[in-house]
Amino acid sequence: MGSPPTLAVVGATGSVGTVMRELLSSRRNVWGEIRLVASGRSAGKRLPCRGEQLPVHELTPEVFDGVDIAMFDVPDGVSLAWAPVAVSRGVTVVDNSSAFRMDPDVPLVVPEVNREDLQHRPRGIVSNANCTTMAMIMAIAPLHREYGLRELVLASYQAVSGAGQIGVDTLHDQLSKVAGDRALGSRPGNVRQAVGDDLGPFPAPLALNVVPWSGDLAPDGWSSEELKLRNESRKILGLPDLKVSATCVRVPVVTGHSIAVHAVFGSELDAEGARQVLRNAPAVILVDDPEAGEFPMPIDAVGTDPSWVGRIRRAIDDPRALDLFITGDNMRKGAALNTVQIAELLAEEFARG
């Protein structure tokens, strides 16, 4: 057996990159050298990883020389430009952006669901799913295997950290402006007036509010986040004709995306049967005791890896349909952890030669 593979972390200084470094420090070590990479303004910094202070290298073509696998957490445009550069220098790229997700020559992989797709990667790139899709698919995939999924109607409740650190800072700044004024929210316009122009990456105030919008404007009034839920679910599950309709909502939560799901299957089912499937599903925690006030909620799921699932009910008007609520940490399994898991599977391939 040769030496362990060299890993590059591109975007190592960002919020997801920080979680990646934490995971690399806490999980089984399968790596030789770990090379931290970021923009030129961060070059020369030293950041903690695996108990060391590792230097940050500038993103250049040469930084990939000697690298076997690279995890990218950078904006779409940076991935589009630099992932092929890395591949040209012999690197297999695991990309956390949306740049390549729908490319038919790039697998979109969730190891617990479709790890076999990892074997087909003619472009040398593997994509990581959107964080909202990820939380939902962990629970839907085992139910699909049992009952045969036909349709999804989804409403997401997405945390501000999905918009990066600026989203988190914007929410906290707004909360500080509205704290203590109990009249806010009782008259039209007074929340907007209190918050002022400090909207950050959002189209409206988040404090004391929910905003039925996440992502960029897509055709026919849809948002890019809504289309991601549809298109990525189809690709991961291998169901190109799956009916999916989604409404994405931004809520005043720091970390933890949630999804209300109405799922229609090809066969009849009952709630207890669905609970049993989910009890046995990998990376899923069942929290479903309304009588005791136990529900899946982001304040409990934050900092954990599984998808938390509850509020499981068979639809009143359709014995083939199930309603449930799912939440998960969008920074961990929804972004950093899934990327690390894919990279570890690639490292196993490298070790086998």
Side-chain angles (χ1 to χ4, degrees), residues 160-185:
V160 295
S161 56
Q165 187 60 43
I166 188 175
V168 177
D169 292 341
T170 297
L171 176 61
H172 281 299
D173 290 345
Q174 291 181 3
L175 290 173
S176 68
K177 291 180 178 180
V178 302
D181 188 343
R182 299 195 176 191
L184 291 177

Side-chain angles (χ1 to χ4, degrees), residues 94-124:
V94 187
D95 182 46
N96 192 39
S97 80
S98 63
F100 302 100
R101 287 177 188 154
M102 301 318 298
D103 187 321
D105 289 327
V106 175
L108 182 61
V109 175
V110 180
E112 295 88 346
V113 178
N114 65 332
R115 72 165 59 195
E116 64 280 359
D117 290 356
L118 189 60
Q119 304 309 311
H120 177 74
R121 48 178 195 273
R123 294 194 61 182

Side-chain angles (χ1 to χ4, degrees), residues 217-248:
L217 183 63
D220 300 320
W222 295 96
S223 79
S224 58
E225 289 285 306
E226 291 159 351
L227 297 185
K228 287 175 187 177
L229 274 168
R230 176 180 184 266
N231 297 333
E232 293 178 23
S233 297
R234 289 175 155 198
K235 185 171 181 179
I236 294 167
L237 296 173
L239 297 173
D241 298 320
L242 180 67
K243 295 179 180 180
V244 183
S245 183
T247 300
C248 289

Side-chain angles (χ1 to χ4, degrees), residues 25-40:
S25 302
S26 62
R27 292 173 66 82
R28 183 172 65 91
N29 185 21
V30 299
W31 305 106
E33 178 191 353
I34 293 180
R35 198 172 298 176
L36 306 183
V37 182
S39 64

